[in-house]
Amino acid sequence: QLQASGGGLVQAGGSLRLSCAASGHIFSGNTMGWFRQSPGKEREFVAAIRWTSITYYADSVKGRFTISRDNAKNTVYLQMNSLKPEDTAVYTCASGLSAGVRRPEDYDYWGQGTQVTVSS
């Protein structure tokens, strides 16, 4: 129901764009979020976008990452610029209707992850 793509290997300073295609019934009206998790660490909020296009970012990615959505295509994007080695993680998209956006429990649906590796 949520299909993420676009991960890969990139050098520090480079860019990647992640995409997450969703089934219509879990996209329309829902907040879409991106989380990431690296080995030995807890899942971490990255960015979220409400149906109204209001956006939220983790401080660690603010100014470098941009989240957007195409409601006609049921797809959310994460443009990642100026990537750093510490951005290396499995990135996962999620969908939910909660008032909150920064906690995993704010989301009801999760896709599989896509690996992002940033080399120094």
Side-chain angles (χ1 to χ4, degrees):
Q1 291 179 322
L2 289 169
Q3 183 74 33
S5 61
L9 173 64
V10 64
Q11 288 188 331
S15 298
L16 282 175
R17 188 176 83 153
L18 305 184
S19 300
C20 177
S23 301
H25 73 285
I26 61 171
F27 187 86
S28 180
N30 285 23
T31 295
M32 302 300 296
W34 286 98
F35 286 77
R36 66 186 182 187
Q37 189 169 22
S38 52
K41 295 187 178 181
E42 293 188 352
R43 183 173 286 177
E44 175 189 22
F45 170 75
V46 176
I49 184 167
R50 295 201 186 274
W51 178 250
T52 55
S53 294
I54 295 172
T55 57
Y56 306 82
Y57 295 95
D59 288 343
S60 59
V61 307
K62 200 173 295 182
R64 300 188 297 121
F65 291 11
T66 302
I67 189 171
S68 61
R69 64 191 297 161
D70 185 334
N71 293 337
K73 295 182 178 179
N74 291 348
T75 300
V76 61
Y77 303 99
L78 185 68
Q79 178 67 44
M80 306 186 294
N81 298 330
S82 302
L83 282 161
K84 304 175 181 180
E86 52 263 44
D87 294 319
T88 295
V90 174
Y91 285 70
T92 306
C93 60
S95 170
L97 283 170
S98 174
V101 302
R102 296 180 183 272
R103 306 174 307 162
E105 49 265 45
D106 292 328
Y107 297 85
D108 303 304
Y109 303 96
W110 292 84
Q112 92 296 348
T114 185
Q115 176 71 46
V116 171
T117 302
V118 184
S119 63
S120 57

